[in-house]
Amino acid sequence: MIPVSGFEGARVGVLGLGRSGLTAARALAAGGATPVLWDDNQGPRSRAEDEGFETADLTRVDVAETLATLIVSPGIPHLYPAPHPAIAAALAVGVPVDNDIGLFFRSLGSGAWDALDTPPKVIAVTGSNGKSTTSALIHHLLKSAGKPAELAGNIGRGVLDLDPPGEGAVIVLELSSYQTDLARALTPDVAVFTNLSPDHLDRHCGLGGYFAAKRRLFAEGGPDRCVIGVDEVEGRFLANQIGAAPGDDRVIRVSSGTKLSGPGWSVFAKKGFLSEWRKGRQVAAIDLRGVPGLPGAHNHQNACAAYAACRALGLGPKLIEAGLASFAGLPHRSQIVAEAGGVRYVNDSKATNVDAALKALLAFDRIRWICGGLMKEGGLAGLAPGLDHVRKAYVIGREAEGFALGLPGVEAEICGTMEAAVTRAVAEAEPGETVLLAPGAASFDQYDNFEQRGNDFTTRVRAALA
């Protein structure tokens, strides 16, 4: 655990008692603060009290006035569509609002690094799609190269639950827009921006607010190196704002599908080959086509971002290439769960928006596509470039009929449930085809989360093939 510094003897509110909230409370207590906890649900409050923590209704202004600061869990809105009542109370009396990411950056080190010859580094990854795979891949590459590394944030452990890093260690953080938007301290050594597509628009009051939340990691954090995906205009704009000149190697531009030019530092993948260029010449190349854990152009972009981040820390291309070859991929992200009769079965339940689903469709040919769920804003028009890869769609979810109507030219069967969709897809799949779960929608109409949806798909596929 990383004890939180700077609040010794102070009362600090903690709002939301999930994984990050309880971890923050423990880290605050370890640093000498008095955490005061609140959750809208009685169950989490009772568990906190059983652990010995004080609970109090933080929505009351008289309680908020006793606090030095308020720490907020990422799922709780702090501005749009409207601040949570506890946050509104804190704002009314001028109590600073922060989150566990802000506490992490202000507490990491705390003077204990003076005796280290090589202080630890932090790599922080944000973006719309590919954050988890890129973060996990960076962590894997570091570990496979013999570097001490930990992975946390929006993936794995809460940031304050990490072990204090030692000599030459690297902490890899996946950060969502909810986390970067609120953190009062953001100081990574290397910051990574994968890409941008519309998501969480209600929480950020539109695409501009969503991009602004991501941009804070770079504008507020002042990282030594910035790895930026430039396949969208927002990434190109961000890279342009950070770079002081065309050859400024503080910025490493990354692309999938476009050969990047210019005197600067770039890493791009084209036709399955990763290339690194510096000062107008190629310095390394890796064939990604045979890496089973990274299928498709979207994963090649993740590979480029992870490669660039590791190069920014000084890892050699050959070490990185060896690590890429042994990466198994993450569950629910283009995960091959079975192969039988010449048919592949792929779980990409994490494709919860149209852009992610499109990337999954483009990664495979001749697809039996299981799709649908709780549709997001913006409609399904963005799927059009990938629909010619689809042999047939098997639509699930509460809005299955509406989803199917948004797939012009695609044969679509309304299945409703995962069980029905898997049964039909397995029965109709032919050798050389891929049965792909890439919903293009949220899971909450039928499942608690995308992991549960992906597990259901995997279980039913394996049962059908048994």
Side-chain angles (χ1 to χ4, degrees):
M1 176 170 290
I2 297 173
V4 173
S5 61
F7 296 103
E8 295 81 358
R11 289 169 61 82
V12 177
V14 178
L15 177 63
L17 302 181
R19 182 193 65 177
S20 65
L22 276 176
T23 300
R26 296 176 190 126
L28 283 160
T34 300
V36 182
L37 279 54
W38 183 252
D39 192 286
D40 290 340
N41 298 311
Q42 180 60 50
R45 297 201 302 267
S46 297
R47 288 191 289 272
E49 290 166 356
D50 290 343
E51 199 171 322
F53 287 114
E54 175 187 348
T55 62
D57 186 353
L58 299 180
T59 68
R60 291 172 46 185
V61 170
D62 62 326
V63 175
E65 288 175 333
T66 71
L67 304 177
T69 194
L70 175 64
I71 306 305
V72 178
S73 294
I76 299 172
H78 55 269
L79 184 55
Y80 302 115
H84 184 279
I87 297 175
L91 297 176
V93 296
V95 171
V97 179
D98 202 351
N99 61 16
D100 62 332
I101 303 301
L103 295 181
F104 167 84
F105 278 112
R106 69 177 288 162
S107 303
L108 189 64
S110 301
W113 291 359
D114 293 345
L116 300 179
D117 293 329
T118 307
K121 301 282 189 181
V122 177
I123 300 176
V125 181
T126 195
S128 295
N129 299 310
K131 296 187 300 296
S132 296
T133 296
T134 299
S135 301
L137 180 55
I138 293 169
H139 178 253
H140 172 80
L141 295 175
L142 292 167
K143 296 285 283 186
S144 66
K147 303 288 185 182
E150 297 183 89
L151 177 64
N154 204 42
I155 184 174
R157 302 162 69 182
V159 291
L160 294 169
D161 191 40
L162 291 172
D163 301 322
E167 185 76 33
V170 182
I171 293 175
V172 184
L173 302 180
E174 179 195 338
L175 299 182
S176 72
S177 58
Y178 295 174
Q179 293 168 311
T180 58
D181 197 21
L182 191 58
R184 297 174 73 91
L186 286 167
T187 54
D189 298 280
V190 179
V192 180
F193 176 87
T194 59
N195 49 57
L196 194 84
S197 61
D199 209 355
H200 309 305
L201 300 187
D202 58 336
R203 180 69 178 265
H204 298 292
C205 202
L207 186 61
Y210 178 49
F211 175 54
K214 303 286 189 185
R215 182 180 176 276
R216 287 192 75 245
L217 182 63
F218 302 83
E220 305 285 337
D224 297 330
R225 284 282 196 283
C226 299
V227 176
I228 300 176
V230 295
D231 288 335
E232 295 86 30
V233 66
E234 291 87 357
R236 294 190 289 275
F237 177 79
L238 181 59
N240 183 273
Q241 283 209 312
I242 294 169
D248 188 347
D249 67 1
R250 291 177 302 170
V251 179
I252 308 176
R253 297 183 299 151
V254 166
S255 176
S256 175
T258 300
K259 180 179 179 180
L260 301 177
S261 60
W265 194 349
S266 62
V267 179
F268 58 87
K270 195 169 176 61
K271 296 182 179 180
F273 287 87
L274 179 152
S275 297
E276 178 187 3
W277 286 66
R278 297 188 73 173
K279 298 180 180 178
R281 67 183 184 89
Q282 185 173 350
V283 296
I286 297 174
D287 185 352
L288 300 174
R289 294 173 300 173
V291 180
L294 295 167
H298 62 304
N299 274 311
H300 294 172
Q301 182 189 54
N302 299 334
C304 289
Y307 175 97
C310 290
R311 290 288 285 139
L313 293 185
L315 263 66
K318 292 298 183 184
L319 274 177
I320 298 174
E321 183 174 10
L324 288 171
S326 62
F327 182 64
L330 287 180
H332 315 296
R333 298 159 177 89
S334 295
Q335 176 192 17
I336 298 175
V337 298
E339 294 189 62
V343 178
R344 284 180 299 183
Y345 296 85
V346 178
N347 168 18
D348 203 342
S349 184
K350 185 60 172 68
T352 58
N353 59 43
V354 164
D355 187 65
L358 172 62
K359 289 182 168 72
L361 293 178
L362 294 174
F364 304 99
D365 294 316
R366 300 177 61 195
I367 296 168
R368 300 279 172 178
W369 180 30
I370 299 177
C371 56
L374 195 61
M375 294 173 62
K376 296 187 176 181
E377 294 180 22
L380 304 179
L383 292 168
L387 295 183
D388 60 353
H389 289 221
V390 177
R391 294 291 302 275
K392 183 176 177 180
Y394 305 82
V395 190
I396 65 173
R398 189 178 66 198
E399 302 172 327
E401 291 187 7
F403 198 100
L405 289 173
L407 306 175
V410 174
E411 181 185 356
E413 180 175 339
I414 307 300
C415 294
T417 67
M418 185 69 73
E419 180 181 14
V422 169
T423 298
R424 294 291 294 148
V426 170
E428 296 182 349
E430 300 175 356
E433 295 183 343
T434 297
V435 174
L436 170 68
L437 171 67
S443 59
F444 306 124
D445 57 335
Q446 293 180 308
Y447 301 94
D448 291 340
N449 48 53
F450 72 84
E451 293 96 340
Q452 189 182 79
R453 177 173 60 188
N455 290 336
D456 190 22
F457 169 78
T458 300
T459 298
R460 295 190 185 281
V461 164
R462 290 174 177 166
L465 297 176

